[in-house]
Amino acid sequence: MKKFEDRKKPLIFYYGIMLMILVIFNIFALPYLSQQQIEETDYGTFMKMTENCQIGKVQISDSQIIFTDKGDGTIYTTGLLNDDGLTQRLYASGAEFSGEIVKETSPFLVLLLSWFLPIIIFIAFGQFLSKKIMGKNGPNSMMFNMGKSNAKVYVKSSDGIKFADVAGEDEAKEALSEIVDYLHGPETYEEIGASMPKGILLVGPPGTGKTMLAKAVAGEANVPFFSISGSEFVEMFVGMGASKVRDLFRQAKEKAPCIVFIDEIDTIGKKREGSIGGNDEREQTLNQLLTEMDGFEGNNGVIILAATNRPESLDPALTRPGRFDRRVPVELPDLKGREEILKVHSKKIKLEKSVDFSLIARMASGASGAELANIVNEAALRAVRDKRSVVTQSDLEESIEVVIAGYQKKNAILTDKEKMIVAYHEIGHALVAAKQSHSAPVQKITIVPRTSGALGYTMQVDEGNHYLLSKEELENKIATFTGGRAAEEIAVGSITTGASNDIEQATRIARAMIAMYGMSDDFDMVAMQTVTNQYLGGDASLSCSAETQTEIDRQVVALVKKQHEKALNILKENRRALDKLAKYLYDNETITGEQFMSILDSVEENEDRQN
Ligand code: ADP
Ligand code: ZN
């Protein structure tokens, strides 16, 4: 945006410069150009030169006499005196009378020189500058390119990204390889009368490699790749977006076969509603897009890929057959996918041989491809900071926490009491989880404050891919979330604000169990709420009567309360382990899952022996 402001200044600036050039030129250069050098002299010298026959040419005007030296041709001027015999004497000296010694510069030439030349210079200069300055910003300078599309053309296909560069995402790659196949040999498809889908929608959470996949399709098929973001269509002026769409498709048709990639299509493809004050510009742009998609025939080689992370908000007209009718899910990577992504990105950095990718992948559960790429880069940065030449396992482990929880806050020092409370809180979660599942619940807990605001960080154990959760598992989850607060109550005797996020999560699960999963006693299998935003947090909206809502609330509270009590009981039964683990965490600020389990086991053995 800053560049736009910069661009306005030079225009006024140019006019200033132009005016200055004109003035300077007229004052100094023009007189010099239009007049030859003339020396002034006295009348006596003139008379003497006349006597000595030194005068070459002479011109007598009303106010002065201009004459030349016969020898070296110098031009002199002198005042006019009342000298009667002058003409005779001059004639006698053999001087040449002539009408004109100093050439009067023609007025046309003066005009040309003084006005047009600077303008021509100025324009040439301006052209040069505009090429030099604005050229860098591409052809999207507002002034010169109103309404042209900004679609970037990658002539040599798409940074050379191939499917091999996209780790994991095998299902998505498989779905897209058909497109590549089609672009390689459309004849096979035409022969049988099949036509390719015009539009394919890549849906999934941010950072899962949707853009990369689109580039890879172009890369594999070796065709040009046009890319534009939905937000670039939405312009200040109504109609501009539509004209950009037109322009984009015109360009694409010229370059067919090719891939057109529209990122964040939801910005223009949102459901059109009859609401007052709707976005006219957006609707026009969307209409234009629909028209363009209908306009070209099935087999002209332009394939449109679009990415979004809110597919449910798209206008049905956009997703109907013949438009973006194919949907390719691009999900968060699973354990194997994470490991592969880590490996792909680690190729660029120097790694210690002993690095265990599968452990890192397990630790980074829930991370997207973009986050994993970031983790690898953070690890490399950390190695540089410590002046090491290779990246180690611990670099990678620490950078997981950095990427997910933020940097360690160096100067945020917890008071002893706060640190103790945080230690109890985190151990509370872990202990309740361990007692319910009978296995190590965490990879690691640290109680170093993070820039994200978290006071501690718990790295959960990756439970592998879970597609179904039982009612008991969900209840256990709620109990685990309440475990932090429960530990505070038992050990410290007071409660803190540290549990706000736990409360939110526990409530969310409880509400979903009752209103969505049919896990309550009286609602049977009736859905009281629906998920509206699957890939961005998963907001839910209620759809039931006010009385039912009250009843849902009552049941949610009862459910959470029951689990909270369960957590309190577990911790009370294991009071000694709780104290010992919290003390360990308080002293060391970090505890791994193995250390956790060995302390827990040793405390239990002790208790058994005493009984
Ligand atoms: P999206 O378009 O889904 O938001 P991008 O395609 O822009 O995500 O991915 C952002 C970055 O994350 C990529 O440049 C790449 O470095 C990394 N990345 C994401 N997914 C993968 C993957 N499956 N394999 C390798 N790198 C990935
Ligand atoms: Zn907590």
Side-chain angles (χ1 to χ4, degrees), residues 63 77-78 82 98 121 152 184 313 376 438 460 513 539 577:
S63 59
T77 170
T78 185
N82 204 356
S98 92
I121 291 175
K152 297 151 222 140
H184 272 312
S313 75
V376 172
H438 305 287
Q460 306 287 351
M513 283 174 72
D539 298 337

Side-chain angles (χ1 to χ4, degrees), residues 425-426 429 481 484-485 498-499 502:
H425 181 107
E426 297 300 336
H429 285 306
F481 279 122
R485 166 65 66 86
D502 303 336

Side-chain angles (χ1 to χ4, degrees), residues 422 425-426 429 458 480-485 488 498-503:
V422 175
H425 181 107
E426 297 300 336
H429 285 306
T458 302
T480 303
F481 279 122
T482 60
R485 166 65 66 86
E488 291 179 30
S500 61
N501 184 42
D502 303 336
I503 292 171

